[in-house]
Amino acid sequence: VARAVRDLGSSRNGRAGDASRISDYTVRRLSVYCHLLEELESDRIDVVSSAKLAHLAGTNSAQVRKDLSYFGNFGKRGRGYAVSDLKRRIRSILGIDRLWRVVLVGAGNLGSALFSYKDFSHHGFQIVAILDNDPDKVGTRWEGIEISSVARCEEVLQNTPVDVAVVTTPASEAQAVVDRLVKAGIRGVLNFAPCKVEAKSGVHLRNVNITIELEGLSFALRAEEP
Amino acid sequence: VARAVRDLGSSRNGRAGDASRISDYTVRRLSVYCHLLEELESDRIDVVSSAKLAHLAGTNSAQVRKDLSYFGNFGKRGRGYAVSDLKRRIRSILGIDRLWRVVLVGAGNLGSALFSYKDFSHHGFQIVAILDNDPDKVGTRWEGIEISSVARCEEVLQNTPVDVAVVTTPASEAQAVVDRLVKAGIRGVLNFAPCKVEAKSGVHLRNVNITIELEGLSFALRAEEP
């Protein structure tokens, strides 16, 4: 598979021709490299060797070179990578150099915390619409964005085109909301509701459950209590 | 394994005798049941069948009964579970009915968002100390809690006993910070830094990477762009 993908690696825009052949692990490592390169850049470091980058990322330099090779030629043998250039190219590969329009579904505690999380916009995820079921919240605004009723979901998405939904509803509502959003044309979902949500193939869905991680941690700690 | 664990299920406090035998999947499902029971309770529903709970959780009733059987007897055959009682017992099993003292390491955007995330305290995770490296932040307060320098980590933890660290530092600093916290006696770590962090056995560490999930999502979406 690696070889087949490598042959596609030099397609325009530094993108692989068939992203589905790139493993999730590779994408995760690219994310890590990108974060480390941003930190090196802010430390005014211009060049980094694959060995140094690998060390920071907790992997080895062969892995770094292999991960990058899927997407074209980076750096020169023995000269290291130009930090800013490599960062820019990985941001482009990851698609975080462009704008993704986000609908936030669920204006509760977590929705509010994520709304104020500036790395969303740093990654090109811009919240342009907010949905909630609570009549006390509907009609109010967060930094100028009006909270609309979930019942008006389709209408809102027609007026405000959106690429991605960030779901922070209660567990019992998440699947129904996602079904509805997908029907309305959403292509990507980041689910923070404390349950596993599914979507038809072709829709990119990721489950991130902060409270489930918290509970897993407290379960492990509690089991050791005297 | 299931049978062996079941034999331990009726130990006091509804806790299994050996938590390491309980799979992470079981713990995750218990979390989901707990969230659903809280929602049923707030909808004033008193009794729920295993079939109904399973349907809401996206599993089957045999799985629900098996998951609960590890921890003792719940409900009566054919009568369903008492919602409030089952919720209370699962909260106890998960250890979210007691207080975990948390040090937040990294007072940046994500640290700030998580600090304002009320489900932390709802799950018994109370932030009692904050560490950061930024001289502009050290000495300032968030809701009365003074931000201390990471350099004073050991001293802070000696004065303010802490169970768990929530790490929201840059990727390049996360591992060093975790090593230091573990040396100072921390037993649990929830890492939000965009990198994989490791700790010696006996320390419970979970990696939750919001930005890596974001980047995975944008990579998948970008690969489909025309």
Side-chain angles (χ1 to χ4, degrees):
Chain A
V1 169
R3 168 150 298 279
V5 174
R6 195 166 308 158
D7 292 341
L8 298 166
S10 54
S11 68
R12 80 196 148 86
N13 301 334
R15 246 186 297 162
D18 181 357
S20 64
R21 299 212 194 176
I22 308 292
S23 81
D24 203 42
Y25 296 108
T26 296
V27 177
R28 281 174 177 264
R29 281 192 300 267
L30 289 174
S31 289
V32 170
Y33 305 152
C34 189
H35 285 274
L36 293 167
L37 290 163
E38 287 176 359
E39 292 171 17
L40 290 168
E41 192 178 37
S42 72
D43 290 344
R44 296 172 196 281
I45 291 165
D46 294 333
V47 177
V48 66
S49 65
S50 56
K52 171 75 174 169
L53 190 57
H55 172 73
L56 289 170
T59 182
N60 59 61
S61 49
Q63 183 70 65
V64 169
R65 287 192 297 267
K66 188 177 168 204
D67 289 335
L68 295 176
S69 73
Y70 296 148
F71 304 95
N73 287 316
F74 299 87
K76 285 183 185 144
R77 182 169 290 274
R79 305 251 322 252
Y81 302 109
V83 168
S84 297
D85 181 54
L86 185 58
K87 181 208 75 172
R88 196 180 46 75
R89 290 175 73 179
I90 297 182
R91 282 183 62 93
S92 167
I93 290 167
L94 292 173
I96 55 176
D97 60 340
R98 53 148 286 171
L99 194 74
W100 302 106
R101 298 161 299 188
V102 175
V103 56
L104 177 67
V105 190
N109 289 331
L110 182 58
S112 161
L114 291 175
F115 187 81
S116 66
Y117 179 41
K118 293 191 183 65
D119 267 16
F120 264 124
S121 53
H122 177 66
H123 287 80
F125 286 79
Q126 190 186 8
I127 294 173
V128 294
I130 309 172
L131 301 174
D132 199 283
N133 265 335
D134 183 346
D136 288 344
K137 285 177 183 157
V138 170
T140 64
R141 287 174 182 272
W142 283 3
E143 293 181 20
I145 302 169
E146 185 176 342
I147 300 177
S148 303
S149 163
V150 175
R152 289 183 51 233
C153 167
E154 293 76 11
E155 186 191 334
V156 170
L157 296 191
Q158 201 147 32
N159 294 333
T160 311
V162 155
D163 306 295
V164 173
V166 171
V167 176
T168 60
T169 65
S172 59
E173 290 168 38
Q175 185 65 61
V177 157
V178 167
D179 291 345
R180 200 161 165 177
L181 291 163
V182 166
K183 234 179 184 170
I186 289 279
R187 301 160 53 211
V189 176
L190 199 60
N191 174 44
F192 287 90
C195 59
K196 203 179 160 214
V197 160
E198 288 173 350
K200 67 179 184 191
S201 79
V203 175
H204 302 288
L205 187 145
R206 303 179 87 92
N207 291 291
V208 187
N209 292 323
I210 294 180
T211 54
I212 283 184
E213 298 296 339
L214 276 176
E215 285 159 1
L217 192 58
S218 64
F219 175 78
L221 291 167
R222 171 127 168 76
E224 285 180 356
E225 292 283 294
Chain B
V1 171
R3 169 149 298 279
V5 175
R6 194 166 307 157
D7 294 339
L8 298 167
S10 54
S11 68
R12 80 197 148 86
N13 301 334
R15 245 187 297 163
D18 182 356
S20 64
R21 298 211 193 178
I22 308 292
S23 81
D24 202 41
Y25 296 107
T26 296
V27 177
R28 281 172 178 265
R29 281 191 300 268
L30 289 175
S31 289
V32 171
Y33 304 153
C34 188
H35 286 273
L36 293 167
L37 290 163
E38 288 177 358
E39 292 172 17
L40 290 169
E41 192 178 37
S42 72
D43 290 343
R44 297 173 195 281
I45 291 165
D46 293 333
V47 177
V48 65
S49 66
S50 57
K52 172 73 174 169
L53 189 57
H55 173 72
L56 290 170
T59 182
N60 59 61
S61 48
Q63 184 70 66
V64 169
R65 285 193 297 266
K66 188 178 167 204
D67 289 335
L68 295 176
S69 74
Y70 296 148
F71 304 95
N73 287 316
F74 298 87
K76 284 182 185 145
R77 183 168 288 274
R79 305 248 325 250
Y81 302 109
V83 168
S84 296
D85 181 55
L86 185 58
K87 181 208 75 173
R88 194 180 47 74
R89 291 174 72 179
I90 296 181
R91 282 182 63 92
S92 167
I93 290 166
L94 292 173
I96 56 175
D97 59 340
R98 54 147 286 172
L99 194 73
W100 302 106
R101 296 161 300 187
V102 174
V103 56
L104 176 68
V105 190
N109 289 330
L110 182 57
S112 161
L114 292 175
F115 187 81
S116 65
Y117 179 39
K118 294 192 182 66
D119 268 16
F120 263 124
S121 52
H122 177 66
H123 288 80
F125 286 78
Q126 191 186 7
I127 294 172
V128 295
I130 308 173
L131 300 174
D132 198 283
N133 265 336
D134 183 347
D136 288 343
K137 286 177 183 156
V138 171
T140 64
R141 287 174 182 271
W142 283 4
E143 293 180 19
I145 302 169
E146 186 176 344
I147 299 177
S148 302
S149 165
V150 175
R152 289 183 50 233
C153 168
E154 294 75 13
E155 185 190 335
V156 170
L157 297 191
Q158 201 146 31
N159 295 334
T160 311
V162 155
D163 306 295
V164 173
V166 171
V167 176
T168 61
T169 64
S172 59
E173 290 167 37
Q175 185 65 60
V177 156
V178 167
D179 291 346
R180 200 161 165 178
L181 291 164
V182 166
K183 235 178 183 168
I186 288 280
R187 301 161 51 211
V189 176
L190 198 60
N191 173 43
F192 287 90
C195 59
K196 204 180 159 215
V197 160
E198 288 172 350
K200 67 179 183 190
S201 78
V203 175
H204 301 288
L205 187 146
R206 302 179 88 91
N207 292 290
V208 187
N209 292 323
I210 294 180
T211 54
I212 282 184
E213 297 296 340
L214 275 176
E215 285 160 0
L217 192 59
S218 65
F219 175 78
L221 290 167
R222 171 128 167 76
E224 285 179 357
E225 293 282 295

